[in-house]
Amino acid sequence: MVRLIDTHCHLDFSVFDKDRSAILQNCKNLSVQKIIVPGVQAKGWSNLLELCKQELMLYPALGLHPCFMQQHQPDELHRLEDYCQSGELYAIGEIGLDFRFGQACQQEDLKKDQTGREQQLFYFSAQLQLAEQYVLPVLIHAVKSHQDVLARLKQHSSISGIIHAYSGSYEQAVEYLKLGFKLGFGGAYTYPRAKKLRALVSRLPLEAWVLETDAPDMSPESQYGQRNSPEYLPEIARVFVSLYDKPLAAEQILEQLYQNTLSILPKLKNGLKTGLKL
Ligand SMILES: [Zn+2]
């Protein structure tokens, strides 16, 4: 039996308010068993946690995302620490560095100056410290910043996690793997023109990868220009299998990706969610 986990999906975003339950029902029928929902800014955290309490398939992570720098306040790091202490979180995320200054960084433009960069580094380092202290994996957003991300992860060598929507080089991937990280395989890999990325699948060990949608962003090829959804994780999984060139059955490949996810997010192995009132 195929079992899939979406390791990165913003199902708490309001764009899913109208049909979230239907999507989740559909996911169950499509073998998508678990979904990690990462937070991006503090004002969405309590809603995200509430949603994850209501829906058995959803598992929360909280973090301050590098593309929402103007929303973050330093005291939100204390709130994040309280949540780490409460034991409710499966990871810290989405955190990271995005150095596409001057270009649209998802919802918001970053200022093309050093302030944005320094702020990002401040929040990223502070959240890595929390991950180390509370022994939580991290979900990392790294765009045009792999050298800086790697340098910081090397300062916190006990931390592991996922480099979500991995878009770096082979050499950088090898460095992440040495640090105990996994790489998120998502929609970007479904486009035939993404030749360099797609070549990574067979160059790296199968243990390197986990699956993700990053919904509502990063739609796979069949949904180009449309809202992405965890319902498209099976399409992403099929592309992974088609790119993996070793003689293994699809079920074995996908089971290994499932096990990779449990190994990097170990709290998922517990039967019941923490903080869940039954
Ligand atoms: Zn994301």
Side-chain angles (χ1 to χ4, degrees), residues 32-80:
V32 180
Q33 293 191 344
K34 295 179 165 75
I35 298 172
I36 303 289
V37 187
V40 296
Q41 54 180 323
K43 76 170 184 203
W45 289 349
S46 54
N47 173 50
L48 189 159
L49 288 173
E50 194 51 44
L51 188 65
C52 291
K53 276 180 191 150
Q54 286 164 13
E55 298 288 355
L56 273 170
M57 294 168 68
L58 303 183
Y59 294 81
L62 296 183
L64 300 168
H65 189 296
C67 289
F68 295 83
M69 273 302 132
Q70 279 136 13
Q71 315 295 323
H72 306 331
Q73 304 295 332
D75 66 339
E76 289 163 357
L77 292 165
H78 297 298
R79 265 186 76 198
L80 184 58

mmCIF file of all heavy atoms in Angstrom, residues 32-80:
data_model
loop_
_atom_site.group_PDB
_atom_site.id
_atom_site.type_symbol
_atom_site.label_atom_id
_atom_site.label_comp_id
_atom_site.label_asym_id
_atom_site.label_seq_id
_atom_site.Cartn_x
_atom_site.Cartn_y
_atom_site.Cartn_z
ATOM 1 N N VAL A 32 -2.660 10.186 0.659
ATOM 2 C CA VAL A 32 -1.910 11.244 1.354
ATOM 3 C C VAL A 32 -2.357 11.182 2.815
ATOM 4 O O VAL A 32 -3.463 11.582 3.155
ATOM 5 C CB VAL A 32 -2.190 12.640 0.761
ATOM 6 C CG1 VAL A 32 -1.407 13.717 1.507
ATOM 7 C CG2 VAL A 32 -1.840 12.665 -0.728
ATOM 8 N N GLN A 33 -1.500 10.611 3.667
ATOM 9 C CA GLN A 33 -1.945 10.300 5.035
ATOM 10 C C GLN A 33 -1.702 11.426 6.025
ATOM 11 O O GLN A 33 -2.452 11.590 6.977
ATOM 12 C CB GLN A 33 -1.226 9.047 5.531
ATOM 13 C CG GLN A 33 -1.634 7.807 4.773
ATOM 14 C CD GLN A 33 -1.115 6.553 5.441
ATOM 15 O OE1 GLN A 33 -0.229 6.600 6.279
ATOM 16 N NE2 GLN A 33 -1.668 5.421 5.056
ATOM 17 N N LYS A 34 -0.593 12.125 5.833
ATOM 18 C CA LYS A 34 -0.233 13.160 6.802
ATOM 19 C C LYS A 34 0.236 14.398 6.055
ATOM 20 O O LYS A 34 0.842 14.288 4.983
ATOM 21 C CB LYS A 34 0.901 12.680 7.714
ATOM 22 C CG LYS A 34 0.546 11.514 8.618
ATOM 23 C CD LYS A 34 1.761 11.107 9.457
ATOM 24 C CE LYS A 34 1.397 10.221 10.623
ATOM 25 N NZ LYS A 34 1.071 8.846 10.295
ATOM 26 N N ILE A 35 0.003 15.558 6.679
ATOM 27 C CA ILE A 35 0.380 16.827 6.059
ATOM 28 C C ILE A 35 1.008 17.712 7.130
ATOM 29 O O ILE A 35 0.391 17.939 8.176
ATOM 30 C CB ILE A 35 -0.860 17.525 5.453
ATOM 31 C CG1 ILE A 35 -1.477 16.665 4.340
ATOM 32 C CG2 ILE A 35 -0.501 18.919 4.931
ATOM 33 C CD1 ILE A 35 -2.814 17.179 3.806
ATOM 34 N N ILE A 36 2.214 18.202 6.872
ATOM 35 C CA ILE A 36 2.859 19.140 7.796
ATOM 36 C C ILE A 36 2.484 20.558 7.353
ATOM 37 O O ILE A 36 2.666 20.919 6.180
ATOM 38 C CB ILE A 36 4.403 19.015 7.748
ATOM 39 C CG1 ILE A 36 4.838 17.578 8.054
ATOM 40 C CG2 ILE A 36 5.052 20.017 8.708
ATOM 41 C CD1 ILE A 36 4.656 17.169 9.485
ATOM 42 N N VAL A 37 1.971 21.334 8.310
ATOM 43 C CA VAL A 37 1.552 22.709 8.011
ATOM 44 C C VAL A 37 2.512 23.680 8.705
ATOM 45 O O VAL A 37 2.455 23.843 9.922
ATOM 46 C CB VAL A 37 0.107 22.968 8.476
ATOM 47 C CG1 VAL A 37 -0.367 24.347 8.009
ATOM 48 C CG2 VAL A 37 -0.835 21.890 7.964
ATOM 49 N N PRO A 38 3.420 24.315 7.948
ATOM 50 C CA PRO A 38 4.357 25.250 8.583
ATOM 51 C C PRO A 38 3.772 26.652 8.691
ATOM 52 O O PRO A 38 3.059 27.112 7.803
ATOM 53 C CB PRO A 38 5.561 25.251 7.627
ATOM 54 C CG PRO A 38 5.068 24.674 6.326
ATOM 55 C CD PRO A 38 3.679 24.150 6.520
ATOM 56 N N GLY A 39 4.090 27.335 9.786
ATOM 57 C CA GLY A 39 3.640 28.711 9.971
ATOM 58 C C GLY A 39 4.620 29.683 9.345
ATOM 59 O O GLY A 39 5.809 29.384 9.206
ATOM 60 N N VAL A 40 4.113 30.860 8.959
ATOM 61 C CA VAL A 40 4.995 31.849 8.329
ATOM 62 C C VAL A 40 5.089 33.157 9.099
ATOM 63 O O VAL A 40 6.086 33.855 9.009
ATOM 64 C CB VAL A 40 4.585 32.126 6.860
ATOM 65 C CG1 VAL A 40 4.753 30.877 6.012
ATOM 66 C CG2 VAL A 40 3.168 32.659 6.764
ATOM 67 N N GLN A 41 4.043 33.501 9.855
ATOM 68 C CA GLN A 41 4.126 34.707 10.677
ATOM 69 C C GLN A 41 3.237 34.540 11.917
ATOM 70 O O GLN A 41 2.248 33.803 11.893
ATOM 71 C CB GLN A 41 3.741 35.962 9.892
ATOM 72 C CG GLN A 41 2.398 35.898 9.205
ATOM 73 C CD GLN A 41 2.098 37.186 8.451
ATOM 74 O OE1 GLN A 41 2.444 38.257 8.904
ATOM 75 N NE2 GLN A 41 1.438 37.060 7.305
ATOM 76 N N ALA A 42 3.615 35.258 12.994
ATOM 77 C CA ALA A 42 3.013 34.990 14.302
ATOM 78 C C ALA A 42 1.504 35.164 14.310
ATOM 79 O O ALA A 42 0.793 34.448 15.006
ATOM 80 C CB ALA A 42 3.659 35.878 15.359
ATOM 81 N N LYS A 43 0.999 36.087 13.516
ATOM 82 C CA LYS A 43 -0.454 36.323 13.596
ATOM 83 C C LYS A 43 -1.261 35.126 13.082
ATOM 84 O O LYS A 43 -2.448 35.029 13.386
ATOM 85 C CB LYS A 43 -0.838 37.625 12.888
ATOM 86 C CG LYS A 43 -0.857 37.572 11.398
ATOM 87 C CD LYS A 43 -1.478 38.844 10.822
ATOM 88 C CE LYS A 43 -1.582 38.723 9.318
ATOM 89 N NZ LYS A 43 -1.650 39.951 8.607
ATOM 90 N N GLY A 44 -0.636 34.229 12.369
ATOM 91 C CA GLY A 44 -1.362 33.042 11.907
ATOM 92 C C GLY A 44 -1.188 31.812 12.788
ATOM 93 O O GLY A 44 -1.810 30.776 12.548
ATOM 94 N N TRP A 45 -0.338 31.912 13.798
ATOM 95 C CA TRP A 45 0.021 30.701 14.550
ATOM 96 C C TRP A 45 -1.149 30.047 15.277
ATOM 97 O O TRP A 45 -1.301 28.829 15.236
ATOM 98 C CB TRP A 45 1.112 31.014 15.572
ATOM 99 C CG TRP A 45 2.456 31.281 14.967
ATOM 100 C CD1 TRP A 45 2.843 31.085 13.676
ATOM 101 C CD2 TRP A 45 3.609 31.806 15.652
ATOM 102 N NE1 TRP A 45 4.163 31.458 13.516
ATOM 103 C CE2 TRP A 45 4.648 31.900 14.703
ATOM 104 C CE3 TRP A 45 3.853 32.205 16.968
ATOM 105 C CZ2 TRP A 45 5.925 32.379 15.030
ATOM 106 C CZ3 TRP A 45 5.117 32.674 17.305
ATOM 107 C CH2 TRP A 45 6.139 32.749 16.338
ATOM 108 N N SER A 46 -1.976 30.854 15.990
ATOM 109 C CA SER A 46 -3.005 30.196 16.807
ATOM 110 C C SER A 46 -4.063 29.550 15.918
ATOM 111 O O SER A 46 -4.554 28.455 16.209
ATOM 112 C CB SER A 46 -3.630 31.170 17.816
ATOM 113 O OG SER A 46 -4.096 32.304 17.151
ATOM 114 N N ASN A 47 -4.374 30.194 14.805
ATOM 115 C CA ASN A 47 -5.315 29.595 13.850
ATOM 116 C C ASN A 47 -4.769 28.272 13.300
ATOM 117 O O ASN A 47 -5.480 27.271 13.186
ATOM 118 C CB ASN A 47 -5.565 30.595 12.708
ATOM 119 C CG ASN A 47 -6.383 30.017 11.593
ATOM 120 O OD1 ASN A 47 -7.433 29.437 11.834
ATOM 121 N ND2 ASN A 47 -5.898 30.138 10.362
ATOM 122 N N LEU A 48 -3.474 28.273 12.992
ATOM 123 C CA LEU A 48 -2.836 27.066 12.449
ATOM 124 C C LEU A 48 -2.903 25.929 13.469
ATOM 125 O O LEU A 48 -3.262 24.790 13.137
ATOM 126 C CB LEU A 48 -1.385 27.412 12.095
ATOM 127 C CG LEU A 48 -0.543 26.401 11.324
ATOM 128 C CD1 LEU A 48 0.620 27.118 10.633
ATOM 129 C CD2 LEU A 48 -0.003 25.285 12.177
ATOM 130 N N LEU A 49 -2.588 26.246 14.725
ATOM 131 C CA LEU A 49 -2.605 25.202 15.756
ATOM 132 C C LEU A 49 -4.021 24.677 15.977
ATOM 133 O O LEU A 49 -4.229 23.475 16.148
ATOM 134 C CB LEU A 49 -2.057 25.759 17.075
ATOM 135 C CG LEU A 49 -0.542 26.006 17.098
ATOM 136 C CD1 LEU A 49 -0.151 26.716 18.385
ATOM 137 C CD2 LEU A 49 0.235 24.704 16.956
ATOM 138 N N GLU A 50 -4.994 25.575 15.951
ATOM 139 C CA GLU A 50 -6.382 25.177 16.137
ATOM 140 C C GLU A 50 -6.812 24.211 15.021
ATOM 141 O O GLU A 50 -7.425 23.174 15.271
ATOM 142 C CB GLU A 50 -7.268 26.437 16.137
ATOM 143 C CG GLU A 50 -8.673 26.235 16.635
ATOM 144 C CD GLU A 50 -8.716 25.529 17.989
ATOM 145 O OE1 GLU A 50 -7.929 25.884 18.876
ATOM 146 O OE2 GLU A 50 -9.553 24.609 18.117
ATOM 147 N N LEU A 51 -6.438 24.578 13.816
ATOM 148 C CA LEU A 51 -6.771 23.736 12.659
ATOM 149 C C LEU A 51 -6.148 22.342 12.806
ATOM 150 O O LEU A 51 -6.794 21.322 12.523
ATOM 151 C CB LEU A 51 -6.222 24.437 11.407
ATOM 152 C CG LEU A 51 -6.586 23.875 10.059
ATOM 153 C CD1 LEU A 51 -8.092 24.009 9.844
ATOM 154 C CD2 LEU A 51 -5.839 24.630 8.963
ATOM 155 N N CYS A 52 -4.901 22.299 13.252
ATOM 156 C CA CYS A 52 -4.217 21.011 13.402
ATOM 157 C C CYS A 52 -4.813 20.192 14.548
ATOM 158 O O CYS A 52 -4.694 18.970 14.568
ATOM 159 C CB CYS A 52 -2.720 21.211 13.614
ATOM 160 S SG CYS A 52 -1.880 21.828 12.137
ATOM 161 N N LYS A 53 -5.450 20.857 15.513
ATOM 162 C CA LYS A 53 -6.134 20.107 16.577
ATOM 163 C C LYS A 53 -7.423 19.488 16.052
ATOM 164 O O LYS A 53 -7.833 18.411 16.453
ATOM 165 C CB LYS A 53 -6.459 21.038 17.766
ATOM 166 C CG LYS A 53 -5.275 21.156 18.689
ATOM 167 C CD LYS A 53 -5.573 22.061 19.865
ATOM 168 C CE LYS A 53 -4.263 22.342 20.591
ATOM 169 N NZ LYS A 53 -4.244 23.633 21.248
ATOM 170 N N GLN A 54 -8.069 20.214 15.137
ATOM 171 C CA GLN A 54 -9.350 19.729 14.610
ATOM 172 C C GLN A 54 -9.173 18.621 13.573
ATOM 173 O O GLN A 54 -10.005 17.737 13.461
ATOM 174 C CB GLN A 54 -10.107 20.877 13.954
ATOM 175 C CG GLN A 54 -10.706 21.848 14.942
ATOM 176 C CD GLN A 54 -11.086 23.155 14.265
ATOM 177 O OE1 GLN A 54 -11.125 23.249 13.042
ATOM 178 N NE2 GLN A 54 -11.335 24.173 15.065
ATOM 179 N N GLU A 55 -8.121 18.710 12.813
ATOM 180 C CA GLU A 55 -7.952 17.783 11.681
ATOM 181 C C GLU A 55 -6.812 16.813 11.979
ATOM 182 O O GLU A 55 -5.648 17.208 12.054
ATOM 183 C CB GLU A 55 -7.635 18.565 10.399
ATOM 184 C CG GLU A 55 -8.732 19.524 9.958
ATOM 185 C CD GLU A 55 -9.957 18.818 9.388
ATOM 186 O OE1 GLU A 55 -9.935 17.576 9.248
ATOM 187 O OE2 GLU A 55 -10.936 19.511 9.085
ATOM 188 N N LEU A 56 -7.166 15.537 12.101
ATOM 189 C CA LEU A 56 -6.186 14.523 12.496
ATOM 190 C C LEU A 56 -4.991 14.411 11.558
ATOM 191 O O LEU A 56 -3.902 14.052 11.965
ATOM 192 C CB LEU A 56 -6.882 13.156 12.552
ATOM 193 C CG LEU A 56 -7.561 12.815 13.864
ATOM 194 C CD1 LEU A 56 -8.399 11.557 13.702
ATOM 195 C CD2 LEU A 56 -6.537 12.653 14.973
ATOM 196 N N MET A 57 -5.204 14.712 10.280
ATOM 197 C CA MET A 57 -4.114 14.522 9.302
ATOM 198 C C MET A 57 -3.087 15.642 9.332
ATOM 199 O O MET A 57 -2.054 15.539 8.681
ATOM 200 C CB MET A 57 -4.682 14.530 7.878
ATOM 201 C CG MET A 57 -5.583 13.389 7.546
ATOM 202 S SD MET A 57 -6.407 13.774 5.983
ATOM 203 C CE MET A 57 -5.009 13.685 4.859
ATOM 204 N N LEU A 58 -3.423 16.746 9.992
ATOM 205 C CA LEU A 58 -2.555 17.935 9.924
ATOM 206 C C LEU A 58 -1.644 18.025 11.142
ATOM 207 O O LEU A 58 -2.095 17.852 12.277
ATOM 208 C CB LEU A 58 -3.407 19.203 9.825
ATOM 209 C CG LEU A 58 -4.376 19.266 8.648
ATOM 210 C CD1 LEU A 58 -5.097 20.616 8.646
ATOM 211 C CD2 LEU A 58 -3.655 19.063 7.323
ATOM 212 N N TYR A 59 -0.383 18.328 10.899
ATOM 213 C CA TYR A 59 0.635 18.382 11.952
ATOM 214 C C TYR A 59 1.332 19.742 11.897
ATOM 215 O O TYR A 59 1.847 20.137 10.841
ATOM 216 C CB TYR A 59 1.650 17.247 11.750
ATOM 217 C CG TYR A 59 1.022 15.887 11.937
ATOM 218 C CD1 TYR A 59 0.298 15.294 10.897
ATOM 219 C CD2 TYR A 59 1.123 15.228 13.142
ATOM 220 C CE1 TYR A 59 -0.307 14.055 11.070
ATOM 221 C CE2 TYR A 59 0.513 13.981 13.334
ATOM 222 C CZ TYR A 59 -0.189 13.414 12.290
ATOM 223 O OH TYR A 59 -0.795 12.192 12.469
ATOM 224 N N PRO A 60 1.380 20.445 13.051
ATOM 225 C CA PRO A 60 1.852 21.827 13.011
ATOM 226 C C PRO A 60 3.367 22.000 13.169
ATOM 227 O O PRO A 60 4.023 21.284 13.916
ATOM 228 C CB PRO A 60 1.146 22.452 14.219
ATOM 229 C CG PRO A 60 1.025 21.328 15.196
ATOM 230 C CD PRO A 60 0.833 20.077 14.375
ATOM 231 N N ALA A 61 3.875 23.030 12.456
ATOM 232 C CA ALA A 61 5.201 23.589 12.712
ATOM 233 C C ALA A 61 4.972 25.100 12.793
ATOM 234 O O ALA A 61 4.053 25.610 12.147
ATOM 235 C CB ALA A 61 6.158 23.249 11.585
ATOM 236 N N LEU A 62 5.754 25.794 13.575
ATOM 237 C CA LEU A 62 5.616 27.253 13.621
ATOM 238 C C LEU A 62 6.969 27.897 13.376
ATOM 239 O O LEU A 62 8.001 27.357 13.791
ATOM 240 C CB LEU A 62 5.079 27.729 14.979
ATOM 241 C CG LEU A 62 3.681 27.296 15.394
ATOM 242 C CD1 LEU A 62 3.308 27.922 16.734
ATOM 243 C CD2 LEU A 62 2.632 27.651 14.337
ATOM 244 N N GLY A 63 6.932 29.056 12.710
ATOM 245 C CA GLY A 63 8.183 29.762 12.473
ATOM 246 C C GLY A 63 7.923 31.143 11.905
ATOM 247 O O GLY A 63 6.781 31.515 11.604
ATOM 248 N N LEU A 64 9.010 31.905 11.780
ATOM 249 C CA LEU A 64 8.968 33.252 11.198
ATOM 250 C C LEU A 64 9.720 33.195 9.869
ATOM 251 O O LEU A 64 10.933 33.006 9.826
ATOM 252 C CB LEU A 64 9.599 34.258 12.170
ATOM 253 C CG LEU A 64 8.904 34.352 13.543
ATOM 254 C CD1 LEU A 64 9.750 35.130 14.553
ATOM 255 C CD2 LEU A 64 7.519 34.993 13.418
ATOM 256 N N HIS A 65 8.950 33.329 8.792
ATOM 257 C CA HIS A 65 9.441 33.105 7.416
ATOM 258 C C HIS A 65 10.251 34.315 6.926
ATOM 259 O O HIS A 65 9.861 35.463 7.181
ATOM 260 C CB HIS A 65 8.193 32.898 6.542
ATOM 261 C CG HIS A 65 8.442 32.436 5.148
ATOM 262 N ND1 HIS A 65 9.119 33.202 4.224
ATOM 263 C CD2 HIS A 65 8.093 31.290 4.515
ATOM 264 C CE1 HIS A 65 9.164 32.534 3.072
ATOM 265 N NE2 HIS A 65 8.548 31.368 3.229
ATOM 266 N N PRO A 66 11.350 34.078 6.178
ATOM 267 C CA PRO A 66 12.189 35.196 5.731
ATOM 268 C C PRO A 66 11.506 36.160 4.769
ATOM 269 O O PRO A 66 11.977 37.280 4.594
ATOM 270 C CB PRO A 66 13.375 34.500 5.048
ATOM 271 C CG PRO A 66 12.864 33.149 4.675
ATOM 272 C CD PRO A 66 11.896 32.777 5.743
ATOM 273 N N CYS A 67 10.406 35.761 4.145
ATOM 274 C CA CYS A 67 9.738 36.667 3.205
ATOM 275 C C CYS A 67 8.699 37.556 3.887
ATOM 276 O O CYS A 67 8.002 38.314 3.215
ATOM 277 C CB CYS A 67 9.069 35.882 2.085
ATOM 278 S SG CYS A 67 10.251 35.157 0.968
ATOM 279 N N PHE A 68 8.558 37.449 5.205
ATOM 280 C CA PHE A 68 7.578 38.279 5.928
ATOM 281 C C PHE A 68 8.282 39.122 6.979
ATOM 282 O O PHE A 68 7.729 39.390 8.042
ATOM 283 C CB PHE A 68 6.518 37.393 6.586
ATOM 284 C CG PHE A 68 5.657 36.631 5.619
ATOM 285 C CD1 PHE A 68 6.087 35.427 5.085
ATOM 286 C CD2 PHE A 68 4.428 37.122 5.220
ATOM 287 C CE1 PHE A 68 5.315 34.728 4.180
ATOM 288 C CE2 PHE A 68 3.638 36.431 4.317
ATOM 289 C CZ PHE A 68 4.082 35.235 3.792
ATOM 290 N N MET A 69 9.513 39.528 6.663
ATOM 291 C CA MET A 69 10.350 40.218 7.647
ATOM 292 C C MET A 69 9.674 41.430 8.271
ATOM 293 O O MET A 69 9.830 41.694 9.454
ATOM 294 C CB MET A 69 11.669 40.673 7.020
ATOM 295 C CG MET A 69 12.736 39.627 7.055
ATOM 296 S SD MET A 69 13.079 39.078 8.735
ATOM 297 C CE MET A 69 13.041 37.318 8.508
ATOM 298 N N GLN A 70 8.918 42.182 7.448
ATOM 299 C CA GLN A 70 8.343 43.410 7.996
ATOM 300 C C GLN A 70 7.233 43.136 9.000
ATOM 301 O O GLN A 70 6.835 44.028 9.739
ATOM 302 C CB GLN A 70 7.850 44.317 6.864
ATOM 303 C CG GLN A 70 9.014 45.100 6.260
ATOM 304 C CD GLN A 70 8.977 45.124 4.747
ATOM 305 O OE1 GLN A 70 7.973 44.775 4.143
ATOM 306 N NE2 GLN A 70 10.062 45.523 4.130
ATOM 307 N N GLN A 71 6.748 41.898 9.039
ATOM 308 C CA GLN A 71 5.685 41.559 9.998
ATOM 309 C C GLN A 71 6.252 41.127 11.347
ATOM 310 O O GLN A 71 5.535 41.140 12.344
ATOM 311 C CB GLN A 71 4.829 40.397 9.466
ATOM 312 C CG GLN A 71 4.419 40.488 8.020
ATOM 313 C CD GLN A 71 3.500 41.652 7.763
ATOM 314 O OE1 GLN A 71 2.661 41.954 8.603
ATOM 315 N NE2 GLN A 71 3.668 42.320 6.643
ATOM 316 N N HIS A 72 7.507 40.666 11.381
ATOM 317 C CA HIS A 72 8.007 40.024 12.604
ATOM 318 C C HIS A 72 8.457 41.032 13.658
ATOM 319 O O HIS A 72 9.000 42.089 13.321
ATOM 320 C CB HIS A 72 9.183 39.092 12.282
ATOM 321 C CG HIS A 72 8.896 38.071 11.227
ATOM 322 N ND1 HIS A 72 7.639 37.562 11.014
ATOM 323 C CD2 HIS A 72 9.698 37.464 10.313
ATOM 324 C CE1 HIS A 72 7.679 36.686 10.023
ATOM 325 N NE2 HIS A 72 8.909 36.616 9.574
ATOM 326 N N GLN A 73 8.239 40.667 14.915
ATOM 327 C CA GLN A 73 8.723 41.441 16.065
ATOM 328 C C GLN A 73 9.609 40.516 16.898
ATOM 329 O O GLN A 73 9.270 39.350 17.068
ATOM 330 C CB GLN A 73 7.533 41.890 16.943
ATOM 331 C CG GLN A 73 6.468 42.683 16.227
ATOM 332 C CD GLN A 73 6.985 44.028 15.736
ATOM 333 O OE1 GLN A 73 7.898 44.600 16.323
ATOM 334 N NE2 GLN A 73 6.434 44.504 14.634
ATOM 335 N N PRO A 74 10.696 41.069 17.453
ATOM 336 C CA PRO A 74 11.598 40.200 18.231
ATOM 337 C C PRO A 74 10.904 39.433 19.358
ATOM 338 O O PRO A 74 11.261 38.292 19.640
ATOM 339 C CB PRO A 74 12.650 41.172 18.774
ATOM 340 C CG PRO A 74 12.645 42.308 17.805
ATOM 341 C CD PRO A 74 11.244 42.432 17.307
ATOM 342 N N ASP A 75 9.876 40.048 19.996
ATOM 343 C CA ASP A 75 9.248 39.320 21.122
ATOM 344 C C ASP A 75 8.456 38.092 20.661
ATOM 345 O O ASP A 75 8.105 37.231 21.467
ATOM 346 C CB ASP A 75 8.368 40.259 21.964
ATOM 347 C CG ASP A 75 7.165 40.766 21.191
ATOM 348 O OD1 ASP A 75 7.205 40.730 19.948
ATOM 349 O OD2 ASP A 75 6.182 41.192 21.815
ATOM 350 N N GLU A 76 8.212 37.997 19.348
ATOM 351 C CA GLU A 76 7.533 36.795 18.847
ATOM 352 C C GLU A 76 8.420 35.556 18.998
ATOM 353 O O GLU A 76 7.918 34.431 19.010
ATOM 354 C CB GLU A 76 7.115 37.005 17.387
ATOM 355 C CG GLU A 76 5.963 38.000 17.293
ATOM 356 C CD GLU A 76 5.755 38.577 15.899
ATOM 357 O OE1 GLU A 76 6.533 38.266 14.975
ATOM 358 O OE2 GLU A 76 4.801 39.377 15.748
ATOM 359 N N LEU A 77 9.708 35.778 19.131
ATOM 360 C CA LEU A 77 10.608 34.643 19.387
ATOM 361 C C LEU A 77 10.325 34.037 20.761
ATOM 362 O O LEU A 77 10.466 32.830 20.948
ATOM 363 C CB LEU A 77 12.070 35.091 19.289
ATOM 364 C CG LEU A 77 12.525 35.479 17.868
ATOM 365 C CD1 LEU A 77 13.827 36.248 17.918
ATOM 366 C CD2 LEU A 77 12.660 34.239 16.984
ATOM 367 N N HIS A 78 9.886 34.861 21.716
ATOM 368 C CA HIS A 78 9.530 34.328 23.034
ATOM 369 C C HIS A 78 8.249 33.500 22.943
ATOM 370 O O HIS A 78 8.121 32.460 23.571
ATOM 371 C CB HIS A 78 9.333 35.459 24.056
ATOM 372 C CG HIS A 78 10.589 36.242 24.294
ATOM 373 N ND1 HIS A 78 11.727 35.671 24.809
ATOM 374 C CD2 HIS A 78 10.907 37.528 24.058
ATOM 375 C CE1 HIS A 78 12.680 36.579 24.878
ATOM 376 N NE2 HIS A 78 12.210 37.714 24.428
ATOM 377 N N ARG A 79 7.305 34.005 22.155
ATOM 378 C CA ARG A 79 6.070 33.216 21.953
ATOM 379 C C ARG A 79 6.404 31.865 21.310
ATOM 380 O O ARG A 79 5.853 30.838 21.671
ATOM 381 C CB ARG A 79 5.108 33.971 21.030
ATOM 382 C CG ARG A 79 4.082 34.792 21.776
ATOM 383 C CD ARG A 79 3.095 35.390 20.795
ATOM 384 N NE ARG A 79 2.124 34.431 20.288
ATOM 385 C CZ ARG A 79 1.411 34.615 19.193
ATOM 386 N NH1 ARG A 79 1.541 35.729 18.495
ATOM 387 N NH2 ARG A 79 0.541 33.712 18.792
ATOM 388 N N LEU A 80 7.319 31.931 20.336
ATOM 389 C CA LEU A 80 7.708 30.682 19.672
ATOM 390 C C LEU A 80 8.351 29.731 20.687
ATOM 391 O O LEU A 80 8.084 28.525 20.664
ATOM 392 C CB LEU A 80 8.686 30.995 18.519
ATOM 393 C CG LEU A 80 9.112 29.807 17.659
ATOM 394 C CD1 LEU A 80 7.914 29.105 17.029
ATOM 395 C CD2 LEU A 80 10.071 30.261 16.552
#
